[in-house]
Amino acid sequence: MKKVKDQMMIDRLADAAREGRISRRSFMNYSVAAGMTASAATGLWGTSAKAAPSKGGNFRLGAHDGNTSDTHDPGTYVTFSMIQVAHTFRAYLTLIEPDGTLGPDVASEWSATPDAKEWTFKINENATFHSGAKVTANDVIASMNHHRGEESTSAAKALLADVVDLVDNGDNSVTFKLGSANADLPWLMTDYHLPIIPANDDGTANWQSGDGCGPYKLTSAEFGVNYTFERHDGWHLEGAYFDAVEVIVLNDPNARQTALVTGDVDAVTQLELKTLALLQRDPNLLIDNVPSAAAITMPMLVDTAPFDNVDVRNALKLSVNREELIEKIAFGAASVGNDFHHSPAMPYWPDIEQRQYDPDQAKSLLKKAGAEGLEVNLSVADSVYSGAVDMCVLYSEHAKAAGIKINVVREPNDGYYSDVWLKKPWCAVQWGARPTPDVMYSLAYKDDAAWNESRWKNPRFNELLRQAKAELDDAKRAEMYREMATLARDDGGTVIPFFPNFVYARRKNVGHGENLAASWPCDGARAASRWWFEG
Amino acid sequence: MGDILGLVGKRLGLGLVILLVISIIIFFMVELLPGDIAQAVLGQGATEDNLAALRKEMGLDKPAIVRYLGWLSGAVTFDFGASVVTKEPVISLIGERFMNTLFLAAYAAVIAVPVAIILGILVALLRNSIFDRVANVATLTSISSPEFFLGYILILYFSVKWGMFPAISSLSEGMTLGELLQRTFLPALTLVLVVVAHMMRMTRAAIINLLASPYIEMARLKGTPPWKVIVKHALPNAWAPIINVVALNLAYLITGVVLVEVVFVYPGIGQALVDAVSKRDFPVVQACCLIFAATFILLNLAADVGAILTNPRLRHPK
């Protein structure tokens, strides 16, 4: 067959590449499809694609979820808007790159002893605080100690529970000594609670001042309202193209989206999924729909009847039509769950056969368990996820086909996570994104974890979890996580219908790189340092 | 005059008692909310361990009554304490926001009160005419719509379609008065639409009520033009109910703006109150509620004093 060169298609592709609307991989695919040779396509990409991002401008980001009572104390960071703010003016030892790999930030390199019990982080020589002082080992130790010890009120206390000692090696490096092996420690350092903040003379961390070593320095902060920043000249990494950044808290979805449409802000951190189809029609907006590691889970307490029977659990897992939930509740912006808490957006994701909606098999499992005509309560609150109650009602409709009666119990939003979660036999929960499967499993699936939300205690799973923690060989770890995922899927007590995407948007004149980090909305909450205004 | 001062003194004393009762009610209502501050602050990610540490740091391990009395002893010396969550003094947390709320309320009042009273007089004058009907239907429609809906409609036309005013009223330092008035025009207009109907209809009703009185008949018979009958003869006697309604609506402009603040992202005191309740931040909730209560008490008092001053019979009791 003769290859026809589709010039119109190629021109459009070149335009798309120029405006940064297309990734290199898609560009190559389409160009070759349009009749170009691979080498010509590479050349065209090089000449048309956005070269160096341009500098300048004041970037205004409309952020959701802010509260007047937010503070600069990283130990109590809890709102999404503070996560955006933190990544704008503070810096962490390591960071998640747009392609999902682990990259250097304040730490320029790191290494472990073979038993993964001691990790040494070398501090970037160029890293400075906005006050001008260099980042020292002392600052790193003070920043970590802020979350450790009896007196600490930090929400990240559990994360660093394994750290026994922090040692200043005297050569601008810090060694973390762990009580038990942890191959994921460098990943843990990306946690938003753990920025590097300057140390006081007495060794405590000075979080109150608002000084940081991130890409921008804070010029004003009115909590729950807005924050302004200007570029920190001499920041130790590439990027920070904007001259100034403003984070404006816009809690109301309508206000947020209107502000974007009218150009009062340049980007927003979250869109309401219901209006996604309408916003897509606006030619001035570009929408980013990024699969994330956040998850909706429905843990059943496996020590409580009827969930103590694995066949009942699996029958319930088979009685949900996940595709329909994604289509109707998440408006398509989610990736399907497979009943193990390991999203495709996390490293080491195992591709295990997808569990399908199969009421007949569910029925036969119930028969085997002697639990025909099963009736169970499912607790949920509106605040769990937009449309959470509808989601559970839809689930109960699906389950009818398997002869299961699910009573959806609507609980109050207030106190849901203290009175319902971990207490009611079956409830719906939303989990934020965690960087690695180990962190997720250790938090909520390990037998003695405080938040073991299904009280599932599988010895083999826990043995593997312990082994994988100490395994520095990636291939071996991936194999362990595959086995653990299979165990959680087929024996565990948690139904995972889907992993919701991060859906956010920007004005057409805002450009970003080929990939977007999946850890937080807006490129891992680093839009301020990674994005730019098109020339 | 001495009677008025006596009345003001008595009412202010009573107001203090009311404030005390309100503070007790608010304290125990906040206590009744499920969950506590420590949980609200640390969120889903809290463990028993650091909840305990945080409770201790915030002084939540003490019994409720001790905490309340501690707050009260500060409050009587005008020290409203510090936010339990952020440790900032309450005054500095809500002072600026209260000023913003006052500014927006004043902006709306400056437009709404004259418009409502003049409209009220006009529709009383032209009662049962087309103008009367249109004005009534229009204002009743706007008062019957929820504020957020009015706000969205205004945003749709004035910012999305015509681009005349910004959709969000975020304030920044160093704004000129002109910029400020432009930025806050839409929320002010929303509030105007919400309060005009009440005041206008009360003005209309009060005036029409008086038009049947013999002394109005007399004025008409001696040939006074209709507008003069209303402005010179009827209105002075109608002030008392009008002032009452105006005072009530002014109080509403300060205390009822939460929805408007949310829609327009205006940093006022309503949002601070909502945030504080969700965090169980008792001193902030208490301060906001007391400000609201005091607003009502003072404006009601002002209305009563106003009613007395505009009525010679009450001003010079026999």
Side-chain angles (χ1 to χ4, degrees):
Chain A
M1 200 179 85
K2 199 175 137 211
K3 260 199 163 178
V4 185
K5 245 170 105 173
D6 181 347
Q7 192 58 46
M8 213 166 88
M9 179 72 180
I10 290 169
D11 288 346
R12 278 176 52 199
L13 282 167
D15 278 345
R18 231 186 319 273
E19 289 168 17
R21 281 189 278 119
I22 188 169
S23 74
R24 186 174 187 278
R25 182 190 292 179
S26 323
F27 178 84
M28 297 299 286
N29 279 344
Y30 291 128
S31 303
V32 173
M36 288 183 86
T37 61
S39 62
T42 312
L44 183 61
W45 170 260
T47 52
S48 33
K50 255 320 315 152
S54 53
K55 276 200 161 191
N58 177 21
F59 178 62
R60 295 157 306 165
L61 177 68
H64 70 288
D65 186 22
N67 195 299
T68 319
S69 58
D70 287 336
T71 72
H72 282 319
D73 180 357
T76 59
Y77 277 164
V78 68
T79 60
F80 275 91
S81 64
M82 281 318 286
I83 292 171
Q84 296 289 338
V85 168
H87 286 85
T88 307
F89 82 103
R90 284 176 162 157
Y92 298 77
L93 277 180
T94 55
L95 56 73
I96 294 175
E97 299 283 4
D99 62 6
T101 57
L102 190 70
D105 193 343
V106 172
S108 52
E109 53 190 275
W110 49 91
S111 57
T113 50
D115 61 358
K117 274 186 161 179
E118 275 183 33
W119 282 92
T120 302
F121 292 84
K122 182 120 187 68
I123 299 165
N124 189 322
E125 298 286 339
N126 297 321
T128 53
F129 287 105
H130 304 146
S131 62
K134 277 194 141 199
V135 179
T136 64
N138 213 5
D139 300 316
V140 173
I141 292 173
S143 304
M144 295 302 146
N145 283 341
H146 181 64
H147 309 279
R148 298 175 60 223
E150 282 295 306
E151 294 295 301
S152 173
T153 57
S154 168
K157 204 167 169 178
L159 214 55
L160 296 180
D162 264 354
V163 178
V164 185
D165 197 14
L166 294 159
V167 185
D168 177 354
N169 298 324
D171 59 347
N172 217 20
S173 71
V174 176
T175 297
F176 287 62
K177 296 198 167 163
L178 308 179
S180 58
N182 191 343
D184 270 348
L185 190 77
W187 284 93
L188 293 189
M189 291 300 126
T190 65
D191 187 277
Y192 63 95
H193 294 100
L194 306 176
I196 303 308
I197 37 189
N200 289 318
D201 291 336
D202 63 355
T204 55
N206 177 10
W207 55 263
Q208 295 89 342
S209 68
D211 193 8
C213 49
Y216 289 85
K217 60 182 158 210
L218 192 69
T219 49
S220 79
E222 199 184 329
F223 293 100
V225 181
N226 67 345
Y227 310 82
T228 57
F229 310 87
E230 57 189 47
R231 189 192 291 123
H232 171 38
D233 290 313
W235 179 48
H236 54 277
L237 297 179
E238 276 294 302
Y241 304 109
F242 304 114
D243 292 337
V245 173
E246 188 174 353
V247 175
I248 307 167
V249 176
L250 301 173
N251 286 320
D252 182 53
N254 189 71
R256 197 163 59 237
Q257 288 172 189
T258 313
L260 182 69
V261 169
T262 56
D264 286 316
V265 295
D266 302 301
V268 294
T269 52
Q270 191 183 55
L271 294 184
E272 195 162 58
L273 299 174
K274 280 178 215 152
T275 54
L276 201 55
L278 294 170
L279 287 169
Q280 267 160 350
R281 297 208 303 246
D282 189 323
N284 293 314
L285 304 185
L286 297 170
I287 294 173
D288 294 303
N289 197 336
V290 183
S292 84
I296 303 293
T297 66
M298 296 175 177
M300 314 176 234
L301 298 183
V302 301
D303 56 1
T304 310
F307 306 118
D308 50 355
N309 186 322
V310 65
D311 291 321
V312 171
R313 302 201 290 266
N314 285 337
L316 284 165
K317 290 176 186 170
L318 285 163
S319 314
V320 56
N321 184 345
R322 295 155 213 260
E323 273 73 28
E324 196 180 350
L325 291 190
I326 290 176
E327 183 200 325
K328 295 198 168 137
I329 305 295
F331 295 90
S335 29
V336 61
N338 200 8
D339 302 329
F340 56 91
H341 202 145
H342 189 165
S343 124
M346 280 180 179
Y348 309 111
W349 180 69
D351 191 0
I352 294 173
E353 189 202 346
Q354 177 63 45
R355 176 171 276 136
Q356 302 292 343
Y357 176 46
D358 191 344
D360 293 333
Q361 202 193 334
K363 247 183 205 160
S364 65
L365 280 177
L366 283 181
K367 197 166 178 185
K368 188 175 144 207
E372 286 151 302
L374 181 69
E375 184 172 343
V376 285
N377 290 346
L378 174 56
S379 296
V380 62
D382 281 314
S383 61
V384 169
Y385 179 73
S386 163
V389 176
D390 298 340
M391 169 177 79
C392 294
V393 171
L394 200 52
Y395 188 168
S396 76
E397 287 300 316
H398 297 157
K400 272 184 191 160
I404 302 172
K405 185 162 186 230
I406 298 180
N407 303 314
V408 178
V409 184
R410 188 187 192 143
E411 307 275 0
N413 290 339
D414 272 328
Y416 185 77
Y417 287 104
S418 44
D419 301 335
V420 177
W421 182 54
L422 302 179
K423 302 213 164 73
K424 295 280 163 87
W426 197 22
C427 64
V429 180
Q430 167 153 223
W431 279 90
R434 295 298 191 284
T436 64
D438 175 66
V439 176
M440 196 59 245
Y441 287 143
S442 305
L443 270 179
Y445 297 85
K446 192 163 174 278
D447 46 10
D448 58 354
W451 301 329
N452 182 352
E453 54 179 7
S454 64
R455 304 187 192 161
W456 181 55
K457 290 172 184 162
N458 183 301
R460 174 67 184 157
F461 181 91
N462 284 288
E463 169 64 19
L464 283 167
L465 183 63
R466 208 178 46 74
Q467 282 178 11
K469 235 186 217 308
E471 181 57 71
L472 290 167
D473 180 331
D474 274 350
K476 283 188 192 154
R477 281 190 97 185
E479 207 33 62
M480 293 174 184
Y481 286 129
R482 167 180 293 277
E483 192 183 337
M484 285 161 71
T486 314
L487 284 169
R489 176 182 182 273
D490 298 334
D491 183 59
T494 309
V495 183
I496 302 185
F498 57 81
F499 300 98
N501 289 1
F502 291 135
V503 183
Y504 43 92
R506 59 204 152 99
R507 305 264 316 162
K508 207 172 66 181
N509 63 337
V510 178
H512 62 54
E514 190 178 334
N515 296 307
L516 292 166
S519 45
W520 294 105
C522 288
D523 214 346
R526 289 175 190 271
S529 56
R530 285 176 177 165
W531 297 3
W532 60 85
F533 283 124
E534 305 283 353
Chain B
M1 262 340 244
D3 288 339
I4 294 182
L5 287 182
L7 173 94
V8 170
K10 221 165 91 187
R11 292 281 294 271
L12 283 179
L14 213 65
L16 284 179
V17 176
I18 296 175
L19 288 183
L20 180 72
V21 173
I22 290 176
S23 79
I24 295 173
I25 296 175
I26 295 168
F27 180 83
F28 287 99
M29 299 258 273
V30 174
E31 284 292 306
L32 282 180
L33 288 172
D36 71 355
I37 305 187
Q39 248 148 4
V41 168
L42 293 176
Q44 194 179 343
T47 58
E48 276 310 317
D49 199 20
N50 49 6
L51 278 178
L54 193 61
R55 280 190 189 122
K56 197 158 173 226
E57 193 191 298
M58 291 175 162
L60 295 180
D61 45 349
K62 288 182 224 143
I65 190 78
V66 174
R67 277 180 287 133
Y68 175 74
L69 290 177
W71 173 84
L72 189 66
S73 62
V76 292
T77 60
F78 293 98
D79 170 15
F80 290 98
S83 155
V84 185
V85 182
T86 64
K87 321 263 186 313
E88 291 268 315
V90 169
I91 300 289
S92 77
L93 266 180
I94 59 176
E96 198 181 330
R97 286 175 159 251
F98 184 56
M99 283 304 152
N100 289 341
T101 297
L102 279 186
F103 171 78
L104 187 61
Y107 191 2
V110 162
I111 301 173
V113 174
V115 165
I117 292 177
I118 291 172
L119 265 180
I121 294 173
L122 282 176
V123 293
L125 194 66
L126 307 168
R127 61 190 174 282
N128 301 332
S129 68
I130 292 288
F131 177 74
D132 182 21
R133 301 258 162 83
V134 171
N136 268 314
V137 168
T139 50
L140 281 179
T141 309
S142 72
I143 201 178
S144 317
S145 319
E147 291 133 296
F148 66 87
F149 178 71
L150 284 176
Y152 287 156
I153 298 276
L154 293 180
I155 289 177
L156 175 63
Y157 286 99
F158 286 96
S159 21
V160 178
K161 293 214 162 155
W162 304 329
M164 291 160 70
F165 295 99
I168 50 172
S169 308
S170 52
L171 308 178
S172 52
E173 290 191 16
M175 268 183 162
T176 63
L177 184 65
E179 278 172 344
L180 192 62
L181 290 178
Q182 203 229 2
R183 279 230 149 231
T184 52
F185 180 73
L186 289 186
L189 185 59
T190 311
L191 288 174
V192 167
L193 289 175
V194 172
V195 296
V196 154
H198 196 187
M199 292 189 282
M200 183 198 91
R201 285 179 60 80
M202 188 48 113
T203 308
R204 179 183 184 274
I207 290 175
I208 288 177
N209 218 4
L210 287 168
L211 290 184
S213 322
Y215 79 97
I216 297 287
E217 195 101 340
M218 175 65 202
R220 273 209 203 108
L221 287 175
K222 74 180 184 195
T224 318
W227 68 269
K228 223 172 168 180
V229 170
I230 287 179
V231 176
K232 280 202 86 165
H233 298 270
L235 194 56
N237 273 321
W239 276 127
I242 296 175
I243 289 177
N244 259 314
V245 167
V246 169
L248 207 64
N249 278 293
L250 288 185
Y252 178 78
L253 286 181
I254 293 175
T255 60
V257 295
V258 178
L259 286 177
V260 174
E261 282 177 12
V262 169
V263 169
F264 292 98
V265 202
Y266 186 78
I269 198 170
Q271 190 60 50
L273 174 61
V274 172
D275 285 355
V277 172
S278 73
K279 291 279 180 193
R280 322 280 185 261
D281 197 346
F282 157 72
V284 180
V285 175
Q286 190 72 281
C288 292
C289 290
L290 289 184
I291 286 176
F292 288 167
T295 306
F296 266 104
I297 292 172
L298 290 176
L299 281 169
N300 267 317
L301 179 60
D304 288 352
V305 171
I308 293 172
L309 289 179
T310 56
N311 189 333
R313 268 178 303 183
L314 293 174
R315 212 163 46 203
H316 308 287
K318 289 240 166 75

